[in-house]
Amino acid sequence: MLSADKLHLKGYLFWGIVLGIIILASLIAFPFVIAILSAYLLAYMARPLYLKLKTTLGPNLAAVTCVLVAIVLVVVPIALVTLGAINEAGDAVSKRNINHYIILIATNPMLRGFNLNSVTMQTQFNQFVSNTTASVLQSIPDLVVGLFITLIGMNYALTKWDKLSVELRKYIPSTHKDQIISELNINTQAILYGTLAMAILEFVVSYAGFTFLGVETSLIMAALIFVLAFLPSIGPIMVWAPLSVFYLINHEYNVALGVAVIGAILTFGIETVLYAKWIGDRTRIHPFVMVVGVIGGISLFGIFGFIFGPIILASAVGIVKGAMRPDD
């Protein structure tokens, strides 16, 4: 009886150690979830190029080449836009009398019902600038480490893609594995290639238009439109409509009208016409899933959650639908 108790105790101890190791491994990997997901997405996008280069350069050199291409086409542009947005924000604060605009907003007859206090608004604005600057400076080391892990992970994912796919395929809880994989592939392509392409187009159009109109924060506004473009139909209007109202309140009517025209191009031209024509029914992603995915993704993963959220949510929906599909 005593030996049986010892055997049970050893079994509990073994599974306790296993559970502890799993928890520790999760805690170690959790800070780098965004970097790992970024590595997968970059590898997914670079895989067609990798397969072409693999036949002539070999798997390792082809993967390194794809990583270098990703640095040039993805990492460098993001870094330049980020630095440009920071400089633009600094210039706007230094050139403009922010307190003057805050007073105009607080005392505007249209907003008088909100009981805005200019002193409180100025204090909150200064605190926001201070906290944002400190947060950006503190996050630089983490960003460098995350970028390193992303690039190393991208290289690993490209060279081990087939092996990883076979292993993951085993854990799909359905007999319709091929259909589920096909649907997941369609959804991922729709978000990465379709929606991302539309977001880039909206960024270019808005940045060029706002710069032409003389909007001092044109790069920041265009970057916000890029992120919110993943919210079908309602995304860009959340940026250009308040911006147009801001210039209208400050009696800059030409700029306000120009921003509204650009917004109409974004919302009705690109969002309504081009998006439907380019992507159409191929996405199979309901707008509600996209909205929840973007909002939930940003709250969970931060700024890059606007990509991760919809992909993860759409993939989860696809897997559940496939698992619940009755066997033939």
Side-chain angles (χ1 to χ4, degrees):
M1 183 68 180
L2 184 61
S3 60
D5 291 339
K6 288 183 177 180
L7 185 62
H8 286 300
L9 181 61
K10 289 181 179 179
Y12 294 144
L13 181 61
F14 170 77
W15 286 113
I17 293 174
V18 170
L19 180 61
I21 292 175
I22 293 174
I23 293 175
L24 289 175
S26 300
L27 293 175
I28 292 172
F30 183 77
F32 307 109
V33 169
I34 295 178
I36 295 171
L37 292 174
S38 300
Y40 163 74
L41 294 180
L42 288 176
Y44 182 87
M45 298 177 70
R47 182 161 167 77
L49 176 62
Y50 170 78
L51 294 176
K52 291 182 179 179
L53 297 176
K54 181 180 177 181
T55 57
T56 55
L57 300 180
N60 294 326
L61 188 55
V64 171
T65 303
C66 289
V67 170
L68 294 176
V69 171
I71 292 175
V72 174
L73 297 182
V74 179
V75 177
V76 172
I78 290 177
L80 292 177
V81 170
T82 302
L83 292 176
I86 293 174
N87 291 331
E88 190 176 75
D91 291 340
V93 172
S94 61
K95 291 179 181 178
R96 293 258 185 175
N97 186 349
I98 300 299
N99 188 49
H100 170 69
Y101 281 96
I102 290 177
I103 293 175
L104 285 178
I105 293 173
T107 58
N108 191 279
M110 297 173 61
L111 304 176
R112 190 168 297 168
F114 292 95
N115 295 321
L116 301 176
N117 187 296
S118 60
V119 176
T120 302
M121 293 173 63
Q122 179 68 43
T123 302
Q124 292 176 346
F125 176 79
N126 293 337
Q127 186 65 39
F128 170 77
V129 171
S130 177
N131 293 340
T132 302
T133 303
S135 177
V136 169
L137 293 176
Q138 292 175 359
S139 65
I140 290 177
D142 293 336
L143 290 174
V144 173
V145 174
L147 177 60
F148 176 76
I149 293 176
T150 296
L151 297 178
I152 296 297
M154 177 185 175
N155 183 84
Y156 174 80
L158 285 172
T159 56
K160 303 295 183 181
W161 188 277
D162 293 333
K163 183 178 180 180
L164 293 173
S165 299
V166 171
E167 291 297 323
L168 291 175
R169 181 187 176 90
K170 298 178 182 178
Y171 298 98
I172 297 178
S174 175
T175 57
H176 304 279
K177 298 181 185 291
D178 292 334
Q179 296 179 13
I180 294 177
I181 292 174
S182 176
E183 184 169 347
L184 294 180
N185 188 51
I186 291 173
N187 289 339
T188 304
Q189 286 184 354
I191 294 173
L192 281 181
Y193 299 132
T195 310
L196 185 58
M198 290 296 170
I200 293 174
L201 178 60
E202 291 184 18
F203 170 82
V204 173
V205 172
S206 58
Y207 178 60
F210 292 162
T211 302
F212 175 78
L213 292 172
V215 177
E216 292 183 355
T217 56
S218 58
L219 185 58
I220 298 175
M221 295 296 104
L224 289 175
I225 286 176
F226 171 82
V227 173
L228 294 175
F230 283 76
L231 295 174
S233 300
I234 66 173
I237 198 172
M238 297 170 65
V239 176
W240 65 260
L243 184 63
S244 179
V245 171
F246 170 80
Y247 282 105
L248 182 63
I249 291 174
N250 288 282
H251 309 292
E252 300 182 46
Y253 302 114
N254 291 335
V255 179
L257 178 60
V259 170
V261 171
I262 293 173
I265 295 173
L266 296 176
T267 301
F268 302 106
I270 297 177
E271 288 279 329
T272 304
V273 179
L274 281 183
Y275 188 91
K277 185 176 182 180
W278 190 346
I279 300 178
D281 297 330
R282 292 181 297 169
T283 61
R284 302 183 185 180
I285 304 174
H286 195 276
F288 177 74
V289 175
M290 290 291 292
V291 172
V292 175
V294 170
I295 297 175
I298 291 176
S299 64
L300 183 61
F301 300 111
I303 186 63
F304 293 107
F306 68 90
I307 294 180
F308 302 141
I311 290 178
I312 293 174
L313 193 58
S315 299
V317 171
I319 292 174
V320 171
K321 287 171 59 179
M324 297 178 64
R325 185 180 293 128
D327 297 334
D328 295 332

